[in-house]
Amino acid sequence: MGVLIVDDETELADAIATYLQAFGLEAEYVVDGASALAAFNARPPKLVVLDVNLPDVNGFEVCRAMRAKSDVPILFLSARGSDDNQILALGLGVTMTCASPSPWRCCRPGFAACWTGRDSREVFATTGWWLTTTPT
């Protein structure tokens, strides 16, 4: 699997998947923590986009379980904008945190940096694919 998107807001998850698929990346989404861990274990992704607020298990617990098995890049989406939540997420090993429900400004460079394994500043300086709202 390419990108695993975990978000109970299906419209946002579908929009992120569609955006990434338009660039030729394989992306699928699930809507809860249990499904996320099942998909993660069945087909390990190259990148995880993970929401904090899930209906069954919170994103922090999902992240902890994923980190126990893999160092896959994790881009954390959170409507919880507090520094404490960001610090907790980073302490669990997430690669980057972004504000939701409108994460596009932050997510585009985050997707690029996580996917390529390069620093987002380098991605910004050398490419522009993530700056467009539609693929070129």
Side-chain angles (χ1 to χ4, degrees):
M1 176 188 324
V3 182
L4 173 61
I5 302 156
V6 186
D7 199 317
D8 62 326
E9 294 182 36
T10 57
E11 288 181 15
L12 178 60
D14 187 57
I16 293 170
T18 300
Y19 177 81
L20 294 171
Q21 290 164 351
F23 287 100
L25 302 177
E26 181 185 357
E28 69 177 66
Y29 71 87
V30 296
V31 297
D32 59 52
S35 299
L37 294 174
F40 183 85
N41 291 325
R43 293 182 56 210
K46 294 180 182 174
L47 170 66
V48 176
V49 178
L50 177 60
D51 184 27
V52 173
N53 297 316
L54 298 172
D56 56 352
V57 180
N58 72 45
F60 297 113
E61 293 303 318
V62 173
C63 179
R64 186 175 283 118
M66 289 178 176
R67 274 291 168 255
K69 296 182 176 192
S70 172
D71 62 354
V72 63
I74 299 174
L75 196 151
F76 221 56
L77 299 179
S78 176
R80 304 175 182 181
S82 78
D83 288 344
D84 289 342
N85 284 319
Q86 290 185 7
I87 291 167
L88 176 58
L90 293 169
L92 290 173
V94 302
T95 308
M96 184 174 190
T97 63
C98 294
S100 129
S102 300
W104 294 111
R105 253 178 92 100
C106 178
C107 282
R108 287 184 189 128
F111 293 146
C114 290
W115 188 259
T116 64
R118 294 163 39 199
D119 184 284
S120 58
R121 292 168 295 184
E122 179 185 354
V123 172
F124 177 78
T126 60
T127 69
W129 73 265
W130 55 271
L131 291 173
T132 61
T133 56
T134 56
T136 55

